[in-house]
Amino acid sequence: MNILKFGGTSVGSLESITALLGILKEQQGAENPIVVLSAMSGVTNALVEMAENAGKGKIYSEEMAAIEKKHFEVIRALLPAIAQNPVLTKLKIYFNELEDILQSVYNLRELSLQTKDLILSYGERCSTVMVSHIAKQTFPNALYVDGSELIKTDHNFGQAKVNTYLTESLIKDFQESNPDKLLFVTGFIASNDEGRITTLGRGGSDYTAAIWGSALNAQEIQVWTDVDGMLTADPRMVKKAFSLSELSYTEAMELSYFGAKVIYPPTMIPAFLKRIPIVIKNTFNVDFPGTYIKHGAGSSKLPIKGISSIDEISVLNLSGSGMVGKAGFSGRLFSMLSREQINVILITQSSSEHSITFAVKPSDALKALALINKEFELELQARKLEYPEVENGLAALAIVGENMKRTPGMSGKLFHALGRNGVNVRAIAQGSSEYNISVIISKPDLSKAVNAVHDAFYANLKRTLHVFCLGTGNIGKTLFAQLEAQTTFLATNNDLQVKVMGVCNTRKMHLNEDGIALNNWEESLENDGEPADLPLFIKKMKALNLPNCVFVDNTASYNPIQFYKDVLQSSISVVTCNKIGNSADYEQYAAFKQAARTYGVDFHYETNVGAGLPIIRTLKDLMMSGDRIHRIEAILSGTISYIFNNYKGDKLFHEVVKEAQDKGYTEPDPRDDLNGKDFMRKMLILARDAGYPLEEDDIKIESMLPPACLAAATVADFYQELENNTEYFEKLKKRAADDNKVLRYIGKLEAGKVEITLQMVDDGHPFYMLSGSDNIISFTTDRYKDRPLVVKGPGAGAEVTAAGVFADIINVGKR
Ligand code: ADP
Ligand code: ASP
Ligand code: MG
């Protein structure tokens, strides 16, 4: 025989009740199953609210009417008119009783736990009467059973303890006297030895099913709900959560204890003792196999089974010398709390025994505090204990799985994921079973933390990077196009998803919690965007509090730089092609690096030097592996390379500059390239990365232009001056040609000094052969002494720069 328990949503609507009947039909066999039902979804919560309102002297009639309507609508829709009356009458009687009880609570302004249980019991009684009557149309042997008469408990209203022996015999006897009936049993409710209604704790219908299963030695306990079984995390918080096919009883217990509300923790106990499998199935996806909880659950390859969380806890910390070496101190504390019905969710004790931290439900916190103050009054007065305080606004997260015991590095992985995302861990507990590691964190960080941990542990799933981009010029645009084109590649080859969550340019900004579609980001920015406001953009980015975030600066402006440090300190990685930040004060450059190190995030700026060419990365790898840099020589201005490579034959200098500008190789103002400033910035960044704390003034620049050209007030004047100095340039060209040399503007770093000079090099020099607008850089080091390490290739242009930014973003995802 099977027990089929249907939860609130499975009896919450016409559709679900129809689906429920279908499931019953499907399972009809030689033996009748036992059907256990919850209250219709939302009804128990509404009853709690009504009861509490009545106790405070507030009206509750609206909720009352809504509950009635909810039931009556189903009855009218699913039963033919002549069959409606008996059930409507029965429910009406229940509602009248309920109103009378609420009225008394209202009059007395007093709500005891006993009365509250009585009020809540109407949820299950109404739904089960209703469904059993509807079921009678299809199953004439359907019988309503008030389960409260068969499950006997103690007097602990709200969460009563079951008298198993008595209960099992009552259930067995009842079932034996009704062998041909299809029983529809109310979940959740029970009664004590005086016949007063008690309840088994919120979510307790699952437990009712297990109690019946145990009493009748059922083959299987089926828990029908609204999700595909037990998932790796709460699906409302983690979109990528997936269904687990098998769990051990312990794993299911730990997951549900720490918040996976899909099954009520005590449910596992009777099932475990009688070795009855529990299967969690989806009423709305009947064919999906769901989750089996059973003995000998096959060990899966997953390092952990799931991540559970409790979104609201309070923490108390007890400390003081009075605890050190005092055997039985914690025993006294926790037995006192348990005696007073306070459920302690998690405990950690420091190894010095100097303090104990424990977590409880917020509603228990003040009571726990008062109890401690009373119990330890003498110790507190003698200052052997500090007066404890309640800390609110906290949450708990637990990773659970039997494989954890066998796999080293699990806690490392957990704390790495939390640390990298700026989640501060307040307390840690590891169960002695090693099936569970739990941490206490602040409540606003919970969703980010659970998602980050989920990403870290389920490497088979795509990791998601959340990207916020500044700048929609050439580079920004190209980056979006590249990201869009590579979506599938990234997913299949790197298990990575890059989601653009925000875009901001000088005019507008737009953030979207679901991500911005890359095939029409321009329209979304235009139509859904708001006026640009960079501080607000950053504030909103932080407020989303997403895991694995990257802030991408694709601008060339001063404005964003001032926010880098703050962004890094918010545990958000920064990727930038904007050179201004790293080439301003050394102090600022060092602060960026320090912030990234301290907060465990990345600061990537490969494109600051030579666009997408691997220059910064190469230098870093050399330095990190212990090589020593003797000399770096480089040509890092694509514009100047182009000009010198084309300044041949009859062409005049100013004509080549114009040609370079027309082809888009120069900045809008060509003076910005030719005055060497851009080159200087790149050399400065290289020198700093090579370990020299230089400032702009430390760099010697030999101008490649005569002073008059540098002094030109406008671009037109500049061209005029270049033309006026034709003779100067022609001379240079001739001198070089006569010696079989070429002109090169070369930066050099040696012994901590940087200079940029105009040189003529012959064909023995590695920079002689340089075509188009290419960049070249050579590293002479301990290891590359005789022949330098050379990196060469196109060092400018939107396509290669965006590709470099892209690579930097992906590199954030690798950690
Ligand atoms: P029922 O009314 O059927 O008893 P519940 O609302 O008590 O259903 O439990 C099912 C809900 O539990 C799901 O809708 C889901 O939102 C939530 N839930 C939380 N954590 C998990 C998890 N790890 N796996 C599945 N569901 C979970
Ligand atoms: N209706 C009860 C509750 O909401 C019991 C249950 O659904 O399992 O807590
Ligand atoms: Mg439930």
Side-chain angles (χ1 to χ4, degrees):
M1 166 206 304
N2 290 339
I3 313 288
L4 275 66
K5 177 259 169 178
F6 292 89
T9 43
S10 304
V11 292
S13 64
L14 303 178
E15 297 74 27
S16 63
I17 294 171
T18 312
L20 177 161
L21 295 174
I23 292 164
L24 285 180
K25 250 205 140 106
E26 191 71 8
Q27 299 207 12
Q28 233 180 352
E31 273 185 317
N32 285 311
I34 308 285
V35 182
V36 175
L37 301 181
S38 284
M40 290 179 86
S41 56
V43 168
T44 309
N45 284 345
L47 290 169
V48 170
E49 204 183 320
M50 286 154 70
E52 287 173 355
N53 278 348
K56 288 182 214 144
K58 288 196 212 151
I59 49 159
Y60 45 81
S61 46
E62 252 177 52
E63 289 98 329
M64 190 73 222
I67 292 183
E68 267 195 42
K69 186 162 166 251
K70 200 172 166 99
H71 290 84
F72 288 180
E73 270 176 6
V74 168
I75 293 165
R76 294 205 175 99
L78 292 181
L79 278 179
I82 46 159
Q84 285 174 14
N85 251 346
V87 59
L88 287 176
T89 312
K90 203 156 182 188
L91 286 190
K92 199 73 205 159
I93 294 171
Y94 277 157
F95 292 131
N96 287 340
E97 284 174 18
L98 180 59
E99 266 197 292
D100 287 348
I101 302 165
L102 285 165
Q103 186 63 46
S104 315
V105 172
Y106 180 89
N107 291 341
L108 294 169
R109 302 283 195 272
E110 190 198 307
L111 176 68
S112 67
L113 287 176
Q114 177 178 332
T115 310
K116 193 169 170 185
D117 272 0
L118 180 60
I119 293 173
L120 295 197
S121 72
Y122 283 91
E124 266 66 13
R125 290 199 264 176
C126 290
S127 70
T128 310
V129 162
M130 174 181 84
V131 174
S132 60
H133 270 85
I134 295 168
K136 253 200 162 81
Q137 302 290 310
T138 331
F139 309 98
N141 59 342
L143 179 71
Y144 167 73
V145 183
D146 185 338
S148 68
E149 290 165 12
L150 303 173
I151 297 185
K152 300 310 279 185
T153 69
D154 65 7
H155 294 229
N156 184 17
F157 297 99
Q159 191 153 7
K161 192 166 175 302
V162 176
N163 176 341
T164 309
Y165 185 75
L166 180 57
T167 299
E168 293 206 347
S169 77
L170 287 172
I171 290 176
K172 250 191 285 189
D173 289 350
F174 184 87
Q175 199 271 337
E176 275 162 19
S177 353
N178 294 281
D180 303 326
K181 298 287 186 202
L182 174 56
L183 307 182
F184 284 79
V185 185
T186 54
F188 182 52
I189 58 176
S191 60
N192 64 15
D193 54 5
E194 292 169 354
R196 305 272 180 215
I197 292 280
T198 57
T199 60
L200 302 175
R202 289 303 304 271
S205 299
D206 300 330
Y207 189 27
T208 306
I211 293 166
W212 277 72
S214 169
L216 302 176
N217 286 314
Q219 225 158 5
E220 194 171 274
I221 299 162
Q222 300 176 5
V223 173
W224 289 86
T225 183
D226 60 348
V227 280
D228 284 339
M230 176 77 91
L231 310 184
T232 48
D234 186 339
R236 290 164 298 184
M237 207 180 314
V238 178
K239 291 209 179 84
K240 288 186 238 171
F242 59 92
S243 173
L244 293 159
S245 56
E246 283 188 358
L247 289 172
S248 72
Y249 292 99
T250 323
E251 288 172 330
M253 181 89 149
E254 298 264 353
L255 282 168
S256 60
Y257 180 75
F258 274 94
K261 118 178 225 273
V262 66
I263 189 153
Y264 183 52
T267 311
M268 264 61 76
I269 296 165
F272 170 81
L273 293 174
K274 288 280 178 79
R275 303 177 84 89
I276 305 169
I278 302 173
V279 47
I280 307 177
K281 300 260 300 173
N282 191 346
T283 306
F284 307 93
N285 187 12
V286 179
D287 296 329
F288 191 82
T291 301
Y292 267 90
I293 302 167
K294 58 179 190 186
H295 273 286
S299 72
S300 81
K301 288 193 203 70
L302 298 174
I304 61 167
K305 286 292 173 60
I307 304 157
S308 276
S309 54
I310 305 179
D311 63 3
E312 187 101 54
I313 57 165
S314 296
V315 164
L316 284 99
N317 180 37
L318 222 68
S319 64
S321 59
M323 290 162 60
V324 184
K326 273 264 162 71
F329 179 88
S330 45
R332 198 170 135 210
L333 171 66
F334 293 116
S335 37
M336 179 266 294
L337 292 172
S338 129
R339 213 171 39 241
E340 299 293 336
Q341 314 283 355
I342 291 181
N343 178 31
V344 176
I345 299 169
L346 174 160
I347 307 168
T348 65
Q349 178 163 25
S350 70
S351 53
S352 69
E353 293 186 42
H354 194 76
S355 80
I356 292 182
T357 301
F358 65 93
V360 295
K361 278 192 299 195
S363 54
D364 285 341
L366 289 177
K367 186 173 167 203
L369 185 69
L371 287 167
I372 290 171
N373 286 340
K374 196 159 148 232
E375 172 82 24
F376 296 100
E377 198 178 353
L378 293 179
E379 286 91 339
L380 289 165
Q381 273 171 4
R383 281 293 181 197
K384 286 188 173 162
L385 278 185
E386 302 294 324
Y387 280 93
E389 276 177 20
V390 176
E391 225 184 315
N392 292 314
L394 298 172
L397 176 160
I399 57 172
V400 172
E402 290 187 351
N403 277 355
M404 266 171 27
K405 201 152 78 176
R406 295 180 279 272
T407 325
M410 290 295 101
S411 49
K413 208 173 210 172
L414 169 69
F415 293 114
H416 181 73
L418 295 172
R420 228 174 118 64
N421 285 288
V423 178
N424 191 20
V425 175
R426 311 293 294 272
I428 305 165
Q430 174 163 23
S432 54
S433 62
E434 287 186 50
Y435 291 166
N436 160 339
I437 303 175
S438 20
V439 293
I440 297 178
I441 59 178
S442 86
K443 183 176 155 73
D445 280 341
L446 182 63
S447 166
K448 174 166 82 169
V450 177
N451 278 285
V453 173
H454 198 271
D455 258 7
F457 277 96
Y458 300 106
N460 57 325
L461 299 179
K462 282 200 293 276
R463 299 231 304 126
T464 304
L465 285 180
H466 298 104
V467 174
F468 297 82
C469 286
L470 300 189
T472 57
N474 273 341
I475 297 172
K477 273 202 181 90
T478 313
L479 175 66
F480 290 146
Q482 290 179 355
L483 283 173
E484 193 199 352
Q486 300 303 326
T487 305
T488 322
F489 176 84
L490 286 178
T492 43
N493 291 281
N494 296 28
D495 287 328
L496 192 70
Q497 178 191 28
V498 178
K499 252 176 136 175
V500 176
M501 310 301 290
V503 181
C504 178
N505 62 23
T506 47
R507 281 188 316 109
K508 286 199 135 177
M509 67 182 201
H510 177 47
L511 292 106
N512 187 336
E513 276 181 47
D514 300 322
I516 295 170
L518 286 170
N519 54 7
N520 72 339
W521 64 268
E522 277 181 291
E523 286 82 356
S524 355
L525 183 63
E526 206 46 51
N527 303 334
D528 310 324
E530 48 189 319
D533 177 344
L534 189 50
L536 184 64
F537 183 78
I538 289 168
K539 196 169 154 199
K540 289 190 170 184
M541 165 178 83
K542 288 199 232 164
L544 283 175
N545 211 4
L546 295 166
N548 310 322
C549 285
V550 194
F551 179 74
V552 181
D553 180 5
N554 284 326
T555 74
S557 84
Y558 284 90
N559 210 11
I561 310 293
Q562 55 187 311
F563 299 100
Y564 284 9
K565 201 170 133 199
D566 169 49
V567 169
L568 290 164
Q569 287 176 339
S570 310
S571 300
I572 295 174
S573 294
V574 172
V575 166
T576 179
C577 64
N578 184 349
K579 296 185 246 323
I580 296 171
N582 281 331
S583 59
D585 299 348
Y586 180 80
E587 205 183 315
Q588 176 176 266
Y589 160 90
F592 296 158
K593 297 230 150 172
Q594 183 60 40
R597 246 194 319 273
T598 310
Y599 289 85
V601 288
D602 289 322
F603 175 49
H604 290 321
Y605 47 89
E606 182 61 72
T607 47
N608 278 192
V609 179
L613 294 178
I615 294 175
I616 301 279
R617 202 168 302 152
T618 304
L619 175 57
K620 195 168 144 204
D621 288 349
L622 289 172
M623 307 259 306
M624 277 203 331
S625 61
D627 205 353
R628 273 188 324 140
I629 310 290
H630 300 184
R631 189 166 58 247
I632 296 175
E633 281 180 291
I635 292 178
L636 295 173
S637 167
T639 319
I640 299 176
S641 290
Y642 178 88
I643 292 170
F644 284 145
N645 281 329
N646 288 280
Y647 184 37
K648 311 191 251 238
D650 296 339
K651 270 193 241 166
L652 297 181
F653 191 78
H654 69 274
E655 291 168 352
V656 184
V657 175
K658 188 81 187 61
E659 187 181 297
Q661 183 177 16
D662 292 344
K663 288 197 167 162
Y665 288 139
T666 70
E667 296 292 317
D669 184 339
R671 288 175 299 176
D672 290 345
D673 295 303
L674 274 71
N675 64 13
K677 181 129 178 137
D678 189 58
F679 196 168
M680 181 279 295
R681 284 184 173 147
K682 294 173 185 166
M683 288 305 296
L684 186 58
I685 296 170
L686 276 175
R688 287 172 172 179
D689 274 9
Y692 301 104
L694 300 187
E695 298 289 355
E696 187 175 328
D697 290 346
D698 298 325
I699 295 186
K700 268 207 235 126
I701 309 184
E702 180 195 342
S703 172
M704 53 176 276
L705 303 176
C709 304
L710 289 174
T714 64
V715 177
D717 289 352
F718 176 64
Y719 274 109
Q720 188 54 57
E721 283 299 339
L722 288 181
E723 200 174 339
N724 297 348
N725 282 282
T726 295
E727 201 179 323
Y728 168 84
F729 295 112
E730 285 298 296
K731 257 195 204 146
L732 275 179
K733 178 164 75 175
K734 182 160 181 315
R735 237 176 63 208
D738 288 351
D739 292 351
N740 280 330
K741 289 182 175 173
V742 289
L743 288 165
R744 296 287 181 251
Y745 200 41
I746 298 178
K748 186 170 81 172
L749 164 71
E750 193 163 25
K753 299 224 166 359
V754 179
E755 53 181 32
I756 299 172
T757 51
L758 185 61
Q759 296 182 29
M760 295 180 193
V761 303
D762 62 24
D763 60 1
H765 195 284
F767 292 1
Y768 180 83
M769 293 291 286
L770 190 70
S771 53
S773 63
D774 278 3
N775 280 196
I776 188 164
I777 182 158
S778 81
F779 297 95
T780 310
T781 71
D782 276 355
R783 286 182 207 140
Y784 296 94
K785 200 157 45 193
D786 301 329
R787 290 175 53 233
L789 168 69
V790 176
V791 179
K792 179 174 141 184
E799 207 50 56
V800 289
T801 308
V805 173
F806 193 161
D808 275 352
I809 295 174
I810 306 292
N811 272 323
V812 174
K814 278 199 183 140
R815 285 230 301 204

